[in-house]
Amino acid sequence: MWTGGADNQGHFLGRISIRRNQVASMEGEVEDLELFQRKIADRFFDLLPLNKKDTHHSSSIPTSLSISSSASDSPLSVDFDGDFSPFSCSDTLLSIAWIRKLLDAFLCCESEFKAVLLIGREPSQVAKSPLDRLIPDLLDRAVKGLDICNAINHGIDAIKFMLSQAQIVVSALEQRPFTDGQIRRARRALAALQGSIVVDEKENTGKSTERSWSFGKRSSGASSKDRHHAPNFKSLSWMVAKNWSAAKQVQSISSNLTAPRGGESTGLALTVYIMNVVLVFVMWALVAAIPCQDRAGLGTHIPVPKQSNWAHGICGLQEKIAEEWKRKEKKGSPGLMKEVVKIDKLAQSLVDYADNFQYPMEEEKEAEFATQVAELAEICRKMEDGLGPLQLQIRELFHRLVKTRAIILDVLDQAGKSSTPNV
């Protein structure tokens, strides 16, 4: 299980300080860059569903990255946050468990990227061409990623409201025998649950409408007697501007994402590009999976080089998520997270039962009804167990992006000072 929250940045900075004046050998550097690419490939390939990789391959992923040094006979290893484990077939694509593994993979890759980029290097090496152009692009994408983290965190708050209403439905409908009071209680909770998802026609004039998370809007779909029970969200965490668009933000961070060419297609330039691709993909996947503000026009394509070995897993995941997005978008899905999709589907079915309830129920109908309530109860249990840790990971992602950006800016600042002649 991901252990989140314990960030070894102080320890990491100490190692950077120790190695700041050491120069890595060319042979050792090539090995580190190749290892970084292999680990990117392994981690994202392990996230593909129905993965048939053998146990030996999965267990061969190293847990630390050796940085070779001409000044030392022994390698320096960097410990990484997170406890990455290979994909399990029980973790369905886009489920809460899968999203947590995706975030875990990103956090591990991000730590390894810092090790490759910074440990054992003079600041001037990081500031020279072509890194002086590529690194600022990465830092800009990281800043834009912070806004996406805010929106996703807000979306999880909204999902928690959905969960609370689903739990009320389960509590009311699990009791036997039924009473009119239980049915009314279930109807109110179902109305509030469905009221959290509304038809958003913004920027969709003349096109099919898309259902999106309400974020404070009130549902016009609930009956007049239950309308006052529709939700009015007020996130207790980071707030998102009303005119902010998740789709536009993803488009912004994915623009100008071009692979290095010629002499830049190897070495650190390629490593920075790979980290850019990983960041863009993870942000795109989060916006597709978790309900957040204005996802209309999100798109299903991000520029990933399919011919590169390190990108095969990312490309496979992109294709599968894009297929889900195209299919669910037509039906107006609030998000691709499996648990949310399942609750939405079960709620629609239970509304029909509640609206047409007559007691005693036919034996066949009552059995089907009980099965759906049991399914809803099981989904609620999974969400209750997973949403809290998931939200902690999103917060960890936010703070990690902030800290890494500060570390790199500090190195660039040192490079600028060392290159300035003394007056």
Side-chain angles (χ1 to χ4, degrees):
M1 181 177 293
W2 184 80
T3 57
D7 191 3
N8 296 322
Q9 295 301 334
H11 182 59
F12 180 76
L13 282 170
R15 291 181 181 275
I16 290 178
S17 178
I18 293 171
R19 296 295 303 275
R20 186 62 54 83
N21 296 319
Q22 297 177 355
V23 180
S25 67
M26 183 64 70
E27 181 180 352
E29 178 171 307
V30 171
E31 290 177 357
D32 291 332
L33 296 177
E34 290 179 350
L35 177 59
F36 177 71
Q37 293 183 46
R38 288 200 304 271
K39 294 173 83 172
I40 292 287
D42 283 342
R43 286 205 167 98
F44 287 95
F45 192 81
D46 281 331
L47 287 169
L48 283 166
L50 301 178
N51 187 6
K52 299 300 183 181
K53 291 171 67 179
D54 58 51
T55 304
H56 172 75
H57 180 78
S58 296
S59 63
S60 66
I61 300 175
T63 57
S64 63
L65 184 65
S66 288
I67 306 296
S68 301
S69 171
S70 57
S72 175
D73 295 331
S74 59
L76 177 70
S77 66
V78 180
D79 296 324
F80 304 115
D81 301 337
D83 211 3
F84 185 85
S85 57
F87 181 89
S88 167
C89 290
S90 63
D91 299 334
T92 308
L93 181 71
L94 295 168
S95 66
I96 293 175
W98 183 89
I99 296 170
R100 291 192 62 205
K101 285 188 177 290
L102 173 70
L103 290 169
D104 200 18
F106 175 83
L107 291 170
C108 289
C109 292
E110 193 270 349
S111 288
E112 293 158 1
F113 168 73
K114 284 185 297 192
V116 171
L117 180 67
L118 299 176
I119 291 183
R121 298 186 189 281
E122 293 285 350
S124 58
Q125 291 181 279
V126 180
K128 65 182 182 181
S129 179
L131 298 184
D132 61 341
R133 171 175 49 84
L134 297 175
I135 289 180
D137 286 345
L138 176 62
L139 298 182
D140 181 62
R141 287 190 173 92
V143 170
K144 294 174 180 177
L146 298 180
D147 288 335
I148 293 178
C149 289
N150 286 344
I152 294 299
N153 188 71
H154 192 46
I156 295 175
D157 282 342
I159 293 175
K160 286 181 176 179
F161 172 84
M162 185 185 208
L163 170 61
S164 69
Q165 299 307 304
Q167 289 172 326
I168 292 173
V169 173
V170 171
S171 174
L173 299 181
E174 278 186 332
Q175 299 179 44
R176 295 294 187 278
F178 286 124
T179 65
D180 289 340
Q182 290 170 241
I183 297 300
R184 285 196 299 270
R185 185 173 176 232
R187 281 174 179 164
R188 287 195 296 268
L190 287 166
L193 191 159
Q194 291 194 305
S196 62
I197 304 168
V198 299
V199 175
D200 184 3
E201 300 182 1
K202 179 182 176 182
E203 298 180 356
N204 276 321
T205 306
K207 301 178 182 179
S208 60
T209 58
E210 176 189 348
R211 290 165 77 206
S212 61
W213 212 261
S214 63
F215 291 103
K217 300 175 184 176
R218 289 189 180 273
S219 171
S220 59
S223 63
S224 58
K225 65 180 180 180
D226 289 326
R227 190 171 296 166
H228 65 285
H229 294 288
N232 189 4
F233 294 124
K234 183 176 181 181
S235 177
L236 299 178
S237 54
W238 303 302
M239 299 302 293
V240 181
K242 291 182 179 180
N243 61 347
W244 185 84
S245 167
K248 290 180 181 178
Q249 193 78 341
V250 171
Q251 291 167 5
S252 177
I253 66 172
S254 61
S255 63
N256 301 319
L257 185 61
T258 55
R261 299 178 181 179
E264 298 180 6
S265 60
T266 58
L268 284 179
L270 177 60
T271 302
V272 175
Y273 167 70
I274 292 173
M275 197 62 219
N276 267 308
V277 171
V278 170
L279 175 62
V280 170
F281 169 73
V282 170
M283 293 299 169
W284 172 81
L286 288 174
V287 170
I290 299 175
C292 55
Q293 185 169 299
D294 190 14
R295 297 181 306 157
L298 175 63
T300 56
H301 175 72
I302 55 175
V304 180
K306 296 183 178 181
Q307 71 280 6
S308 301
N309 290 334
W310 60 265
H312 289 173
I314 294 176
C315 288
L317 290 169
Q318 180 187 354
E319 290 175 3
K320 291 184 178 297
I321 295 172
E323 289 173 5
E324 286 290 305
W325 177 263
K326 289 177 181 177
R327 184 164 61 89
K328 293 291 195 306
E329 187 180 28
K330 294 178 182 178
K331 298 179 181 180
S333 170
L336 299 183
M337 182 186 284
K338 290 301 182 183
E339 289 83 359
V340 171
V341 172
K342 186 66 175 177
I343 279 189
D344 187 28
K345 182 178 179 181
L346 287 170
Q348 292 179 43
S349 179
L350 290 173
V351 164
D352 292 337
Y353 275 108
D355 286 346
N356 300 296
F357 175 76
Q358 289 184 342
Y359 191 80
M361 298 177 69
E362 296 178 8
E363 185 175 339
E364 185 176 343
K365 280 190 175 183
E366 185 169 3
E368 184 179 352
F369 179 74
T371 298
Q372 292 188 0
V373 172
E375 288 180 13
L376 184 60
E378 179 61 24
I379 293 295
C380 286
R381 281 191 288 272
K382 289 182 179 179
M383 293 179 73
E384 189 170 23
D385 291 340
L387 285 177
L390 174 60
Q391 196 162 37
L392 287 176
Q393 279 180 286
I394 295 296
R395 290 175 181 270
E396 169 67 9
L397 172 59
F398 181 97
H399 293 297
R400 181 73 69 82
L401 292 175
V402 170
K403 290 179 181 180
T404 296
R405 184 173 183 274
I407 290 170
I408 295 176
L409 285 175
D410 180 62
V411 172
L412 294 177
D413 182 59
Q414 291 188 41
K417 290 178 179 178
S418 63
S419 64
T420 303
N422 295 324
V423 179

